[in-house]
Amino acid sequence: MHLYKNVQADSSRYLILADIADQYSRSNPDTTILLANQCAQWSEQHHFIRGQAHAYNRMGLGYWTKGNHIQALSNYQKSLPLCIQINDQAELGLCLNNIGLVYFDQRDYKSALKYFDKAFAAFGSVRKKDGLATTLNNMGLTHEMQDNPILALNYYQQALTLSQQIDYKVCIGQSLTNLGYININLKKYPEAISYLQKAQVIQEHINDQSTLTSTLLGLSQIYKDKKDYPASLEYAEKAADKAISVHIMYDAMAANQLLYEIYNEQKDYYNALRYYRQYKQFSDSLLTTEKSETISLIQTKLELTQTQKEVEELERDKKFQQTIMLFIGVGLAITILFFLLVVNHRRKLMAANKELSNAKTEIEKQASLLQKSNQAKDKIFSIVSHDIRSPLNALRSAIDLIETDLLSPEELKSIVSALNQRLSHASDITEELLHWSRSQMDVIEVNPVDVSIAELFQLKVDRFQQQAVEKQLTLAVTSTHTTLCVKADADMLKTILRNLLNNAIKFSSPGGTIRLHAEPYQTTETVAMVQISIADSGVGIHPENISRIFAQQGYTTTGTSGERGTGLGLGLCKEFVERNGGTIWVSSIPGEGTTFYFTLPAC
């Protein structure tokens, strides 16, 4: 009896130790792991299941804070069935929420929401408001990452209201930080600063270092955007120091990247280079760690899935036993068995219907893809049959004439010149079809290099000069920035300019001018951009056709001299510009001309 009382007293002491470990998870995760490990060892020796469940959960939380997802998931996997076994819904909710966070960090938002929903249900069954508030915050984060800011904002506000009701300061601080970030994304800086400064006060008071680093980073980003560099530097340096002190390497990397950007914008290249090197060290280290953990993490997830199945089977068995015990005393066993058979049959029927529905949806999807593929095939055959076969037929006819020896040198020279132009057109179309078909199969790789705009313009002017002269057009380079350079795939950039210049010549009348221009482009982004434009004085584009010209399925009309095209060029231009990190748009006035603009990152 005396020994039993001692074990009871020790059990309570180790549960308290697990709670103390939890309190250190945000300020000193190494201490959390140490204390939780002590609790786990004692609980295993004395077969104290509740202590094991709490200890593994806290140990996983400590590893998660340090960014070690494999160890975190492994410990949660141990805790999960134990929580079910002792029917500890509060601890089960915490474990499910923590697993959801691991999937969130892996960007598997569908799985994360699944576990957050289960955690919310578990917390709700015992009315644990602090757990509900925490889970609401995590649901909001997940929806925000899925580009659903309105839904995310609703979850954050619910979390803040609930945590304020119970004065749960950790969650109040998290909610304020989340509300601050979502207002940053909405460019509502005054509201964002207010939320983040309130969060900072609370997090410093309760020593919530892990969330405090995010708060400081948010404030630094705001002041950088507002060009208040002293304030931005102060917050970024604080964030870096705190992230390193508690081993939160992702925040440390983000802080050093922010410091690099601040100094770079101030043209303090010495400090910019210093922090860029530190940022790269963190980035390379984390990338190496992520690569080495990938296989182990997949295996751990598979084991967790198996554990989850076993847990669900355990829950079903427990519910079944409870049902039997409830009705066995009143002689309704036969009725219950019949009811369960009906329910099971209905469940199988619903599952079969669902599988049929999913199969139907997949068949319809494949049919749609096949239809698009057939349309693309028909378009290619149409282009090949007309635009490529015609110059080949002309070449064959010209060869037949030459073989007759009936042509004078002047006639021969004229035929060769005309034939060369048609074959150049066929070559361009063939190359365009090749790029387009590869883009449809999504096999094009982008290989950015430094490209001189002045050299590229000169190359294209030389290439199209004869074509322009034959149509009595003037090609003019109007740029005064002769040293401009862009970071882009050279072949893609040449294809973009070739298509735009072809179109400009095609839709210009004799006597017109085509202007090539480039200049620095000011944006709100941190990356410097260059704007390139091709302007003509041709027929222009009707407003109702503007929205159709960049369509992937193709849009084409004949030129001022009856020229034909594939209809794929502008769609290809749009895809190539966007793949290189830029944007393309058009301005046109019918009867006066058209200007195509596109941007690319500067060197």
Side-chain angles (χ1 to χ4, degrees), residues 264-539:
N264 192 55
E265 288 184 18
Q266 296 182 93
K267 302 188 184 307
D268 184 348
Y269 299 120
Y270 174 82
N271 282 310
L273 179 60
R274 180 164 64 95
Y275 282 107
Y276 179 77
R277 287 173 175 169
Q278 293 180 193
Y279 156 72
K280 285 295 293 178
Q281 287 177 355
F282 283 113
S283 176
D284 293 344
S285 175
L286 288 170
L287 181 61
T288 301
T289 301
E290 288 175 355
K291 287 181 178 178
S292 65
E293 289 181 353
T294 299
I295 297 177
S296 299
L297 188 58
I298 292 173
Q299 180 62 35
T300 306
K301 286 182 178 180
L302 290 173
E303 293 172 358
L304 178 64
T305 301
Q306 182 61 36
T307 302
Q308 181 64 26
K309 290 180 180 178
E310 294 172 358
V311 167
E312 291 173 354
E313 291 175 0
L314 184 62
E315 285 182 314
R316 285 195 295 269
D317 291 343
K318 184 177 292 185
K319 290 179 181 178
F320 179 76
Q321 292 171 6
Q322 291 173 348
T323 304
I324 294 297
M325 292 300 296
L326 179 64
F327 291 96
I328 197 170
V330 292
L332 297 178
I334 297 177
T335 305
I336 294 171
L337 181 60
F338 177 76
F339 174 76
L340 289 175
L341 288 173
V342 171
V343 169
N344 189 45
H345 175 72
R346 184 179 179 185
R347 186 179 298 165
K348 289 181 179 179
L349 188 61
M350 291 175 65
N353 289 336
K354 185 176 181 180
E355 288 181 4
L356 286 173
S357 177
N358 291 340
K360 179 183 176 183
T361 301
E362 182 63 23
I363 290 172
E364 291 174 347
K365 180 181 178 182
Q366 293 299 324
S368 176
L369 291 174
L370 182 59
Q371 183 181 6
K372 290 180 180 178
S373 176
N374 285 333
Q375 290 173 349
K377 177 197 67 177
D378 293 343
K379 185 169 188 67
I380 290 175
F381 285 162
S382 173
I383 293 167
V384 170
S385 67
H386 184 279
D387 294 284
I388 296 180
R389 187 177 64 179
S390 294
L392 292 177
N393 287 339
L395 176 61
R396 184 168 60 187
S397 299
I399 292 173
D400 290 341
L401 282 173
I402 292 171
E403 288 178 343
T404 63
D405 290 329
L406 297 176
L407 298 175
S408 66
E410 290 76 14
E411 290 173 330
L412 181 60
K413 183 177 181 181
S414 175
I415 288 175
V416 169
S417 176
L419 193 59
N420 181 57
Q421 183 177 347
R422 296 189 69 178
L423 287 175
S424 295
H425 177 64
S427 175
D428 289 344
I429 290 175
T430 302
E431 186 174 351
E432 192 170 292
L433 280 173
L434 177 61
H435 282 307
W436 179 79
S437 60
R438 291 179 67 200
S439 73
Q440 296 301 296
M441 294 184 290
D442 199 25
V443 297
I444 293 182
E445 292 184 0
V446 179
N447 299 304
V449 296
D450 292 350
V451 181
S452 167
I453 297 299
E455 292 178 6
L456 184 64
F457 277 180
Q458 188 59 51
L459 180 67
K460 289 303 172 184
V461 168
D462 293 343
R463 164 66 175 81
F464 286 94
Q465 187 63 48
Q466 181 61 33
Q467 191 174 340
V469 169
E470 291 175 357
K471 205 170 179 180
Q472 300 177 30
L473 300 173
T474 300
L475 293 180
V477 176
T478 60
S479 301
T480 58
H481 302 274
T482 58
T483 60
L484 280 179
C485 172
V486 296
K487 195 80 170 179
D489 186 293
D491 290 335
M492 290 185 178
L493 184 51
K494 290 175 183 177
T495 300
I496 294 165
L497 282 177
R498 187 185 70 240
N499 275 292
L500 295 180
L501 281 169
N502 257 328
N503 281 350
I505 293 172
K506 176 180 175 182
F507 295 106
S508 292
S509 299
T513 300
I514 297 170
R515 294 178 175 83
L516 295 80
H517 187 78
E519 61 185 16
Y521 184 65
Q522 299 296 326
T523 69
T524 57
E525 303 292 333
T526 57
V527 178
M529 305 292 283
V530 172
Q531 177 181 282
I532 301 170
S533 62
I534 307 295
D536 65 59
S537 55
V539 297

Side-chain angles (χ1 to χ4, degrees), residues 111-177:
S111 297
L113 280 175
K114 181 181 74 173
Y115 280 99
F116 290 148
D117 286 338
K118 291 181 178 180
F120 193 82
F123 286 134
S125 68
V126 291
R127 299 180 181 178
K128 187 170 177 58
K129 291 187 176 181
D130 55 348
L132 291 171
T134 299
T135 307
L136 285 168
N137 251 331
N138 293 333
M139 288 176 169
L141 280 169
T142 308
H143 285 294
E144 184 177 359
M145 296 305 296
Q146 292 180 306
D147 293 326
N148 198 339
I150 302 303
L151 189 57
L153 189 62
N154 181 48
Y155 277 111
Y156 293 153
Q157 289 170 339
Q158 288 185 59
L160 180 60
T161 300
L162 190 56
S163 55
Q164 286 175 333
Q165 290 176 1
I166 58 175
D167 196 28
Y168 182 26
K169 295 190 181 298
V170 170
C171 196
I172 293 173
Q174 290 174 340
S175 302
L176 290 169
T177 296

Side-chain angles (χ1 to χ4, degrees), residues 49-272:
I49 296 177
R50 187 181 301 275
Q52 292 177 57
H54 284 231
Y56 291 138
N57 217 348
R58 272 63 179 180
M59 207 180 311
L61 186 58
Y63 280 118
W64 174 79
T65 304
K66 287 169 66 67
N68 190 334
H69 295 145
I70 295 176
Q71 288 296 332
L73 210 52
S74 176
N75 280 282
Y76 297 149
Q77 179 184 347
K78 295 177 182 177
S79 177
L80 188 61
L82 299 176
C83 295
I84 295 292
Q85 184 177 344
I86 60 177
N87 196 29
D88 188 343
Q89 292 297 309
E91 195 66 15
L92 175 63
L94 181 61
C95 187
L96 292 168
N97 178 75
N98 291 342
I99 293 172
L101 287 172
V102 174
Y103 279 103
F104 176 87
D105 288 344
Q106 296 297 312
R107 298 181 179 86
D108 185 353
Y109 301 124
K110 182 179 179 180
S111 297
L113 280 175
K114 181 181 74 173
Y115 280 99
F116 290 148
D117 286 338
K118 291 181 178 180
F120 193 82
F123 286 134
S125 68
V126 291
R127 299 180 181 178
K128 187 170 177 58
K129 291 187 176 181
D130 55 348
L132 291 171
T134 299
T135 307
L136 285 168
N137 251 331
N138 293 333
M139 288 176 169
L141 280 169
T142 308
H143 285 294
E144 184 177 359
M145 296 305 296
Q146 292 180 306
D147 293 326
N148 198 339
I150 302 303
L151 189 57
L153 189 62
N154 181 48
Y155 277 111
Y156 293 153
Q157 289 170 339
Q158 288 185 59
L160 180 60
T161 300
L162 190 56
S163 55
Q164 286 175 333
Q165 290 176 1
I166 58 175
D167 196 28
Y168 182 26
K169 295 190 181 298
V170 170
C171 196
I172 293 173
Q174 290 174 340
S175 302
L176 290 169
T177 296
N178 292 337
L179 287 166
Y181 269 91
I182 206 165
N183 276 281
I184 290 176
N185 294 334
L186 296 173
K187 304 300 182 184
K188 296 182 178 180
Y189 292 132
E191 293 88 342
I193 291 173
S194 176
Y195 282 123
L196 292 173
Q197 287 180 339
K198 291 176 183 177
Q200 180 186 1
V201 172
I202 293 172
Q203 289 154 4
E204 288 178 342
H205 177 69
I206 64 175
N207 198 28
D208 183 1
Q209 298 292 324
S210 63
T211 313
L212 178 59
T213 58
S214 296
T215 303
L216 295 172
L217 286 171
L219 287 165
S220 178
Q221 183 64 52
I222 292 172
Y223 285 111
K224 185 177 81 71
D225 291 346
K226 293 166 68 70
K227 308 300 182 184
D228 186 350
Y229 295 119
S232 182
L233 279 172
E234 179 181 356
Y235 284 113
E237 288 170 350
K238 285 183 180 179
D241 291 340
K242 292 185 180 298
I244 293 171
S245 69
V246 293
H247 306 291
I248 305 176
M249 296 299 101
Y250 283 97
D251 285 352
M253 178 184 70
N256 278 277
Q257 182 182 13
L258 199 53
L259 285 164
Y260 152 68
E261 292 171 356
I262 295 167
Y263 280 114
N264 192 55
E265 288 184 18
Q266 296 182 93
K267 302 188 184 307
D268 184 348
Y269 299 120
Y270 174 82
N271 282 310

